[in-house]
Amino acid sequence: MDILLAFLGAVIGSFVSVQYMYVSDRLKLRGEVMQEIVAYCDEIYHLIQDMHGRKNGFYTKNFSGIDSDEDYIADSQRLSVLLKTSGPHTKLMIAYGEGDALNTLEALSKALREVTSILRNATRSAWMIENVEIFKIFETKIDPLRRELQGILLADARAPSIWKILFKG
């Protein structure tokens, strides 16, 4: 009887240990992916803001040569790379699945591409309208989506959400 109880204890202990390791690995992965996604979105956000500030200076202070501004060109090239990369989206999908986090990141990416397009195609003559449009998209889409995404990522990077996944099926 003692051997049976010891065996049963070992089986239960092994099961609990495996479950604990799974949850702890998922939490670590989600935490790392969350940090990467937030940094990715922040970099895009800051590049757009820098480009916007430069373009605004050129257009409102009547400077010439935005197309030859090396910082603007470098930011624009870096922004292109970031907006076209699928790595962060793929990592998010692996760590969080194809749910709210991925849908929110896709919506945020779309809004960031929309602002980038307006910014790149802006002209001096239409800048007053385009500038207002850019600020409106930040206020109504980009900033709320960034907050929403961070909230989803944080909530899903905590143990209760992992346990739900574990015991869901």
Side-chain angles (χ1 to χ4, degrees), residues 10 16 48 59 104 108 110 115 129 156 167:
V16 170
I48 291 172
Y59 286 169
T104 305
L108 177 57
K110 181 179 178 186
V115 162
I129 296 167
D156 286 352
F167 291 111

Side-chain angles (χ1 to χ4, degrees), residues 6-22:
F7 177 72
L8 186 59
V11 169
I12 291 171
S14 295
F15 176 75
V16 170
S17 176
V18 167
Q19 300 302 320
Y20 175 79
M21 288 174 38
Y22 173 80

Side-chain angles (χ1 to χ4, degrees), residues 4-161:
L4 183 60
L5 287 176
F7 177 72
L8 186 59
V11 169
I12 291 171
S14 295
F15 176 75
V16 170
S17 176
V18 167
Q19 300 302 320
Y20 175 79
M21 288 174 38
Y22 173 80
V23 169
S24 126
D25 285 345
R26 290 305 281 184
L27 287 174
K28 182 180 176 192
L29 174 65
R30 284 187 173 189
E32 291 169 357
V33 169
M34 177 185 174
Q35 290 175 338
E36 187 173 330
I37 296 298
V38 169
Y40 166 76
C41 292
D42 285 350
E43 186 174 1
I44 292 171
Y45 190 92
H46 294 300
L47 286 168
I48 291 172
Q49 284 189 324
D50 286 348
M51 289 172 61
H52 180 258
R54 278 195 200 89
K55 194 159 252 192
N56 188 54
F58 275 89
Y59 286 169
T60 59
K61 298 189 181 6
N62 292 320
F63 297 143
S64 61
I66 186 75
D67 295 331
S68 63
D69 181 341
E70 290 178 16
D71 291 333
Y72 182 87
I73 293 167
D75 283 353
S76 182
Q77 289 171 343
R78 177 70 184 142
L79 182 59
S80 290
V81 169
L82 290 172
L83 290 173
K84 292 174 186 173
T85 189
S86 60
H89 296 259
T90 303
K91 287 181 181 179
L92 183 72
M93 193 181 327
I94 290 168
Y96 286 82
E98 295 185 42
D100 293 339
L102 184 61
N103 292 335
T104 305
L105 179 58
E106 292 294 337
L108 177 57
S109 294
K110 181 179 178 186
L112 291 166
R113 286 190 305 272
E114 180 182 357
V115 162
T116 301
S117 178
I118 294 168
L119 185 59
R120 286 181 173 159
N121 294 314
T123 61
R124 188 182 302 270
S125 60
W127 180 246
M128 296 308 285
I129 296 167
E130 292 159 338
N131 190 32
V132 170
E133 189 176 355
I134 288 169
F135 277 115
K136 183 178 178 185
I137 293 169
F138 268 95
E139 182 182 336
T140 61
K141 293 179 183 177
I142 293 172
D143 291 336
L145 285 168
R146 282 180 74 208
R147 284 190 299 275
E148 181 182 343
L149 178 60
Q150 289 175 4
I152 292 168
L153 293 174
L154 183 59
D156 286 352
R158 295 193 172 145
S161 70

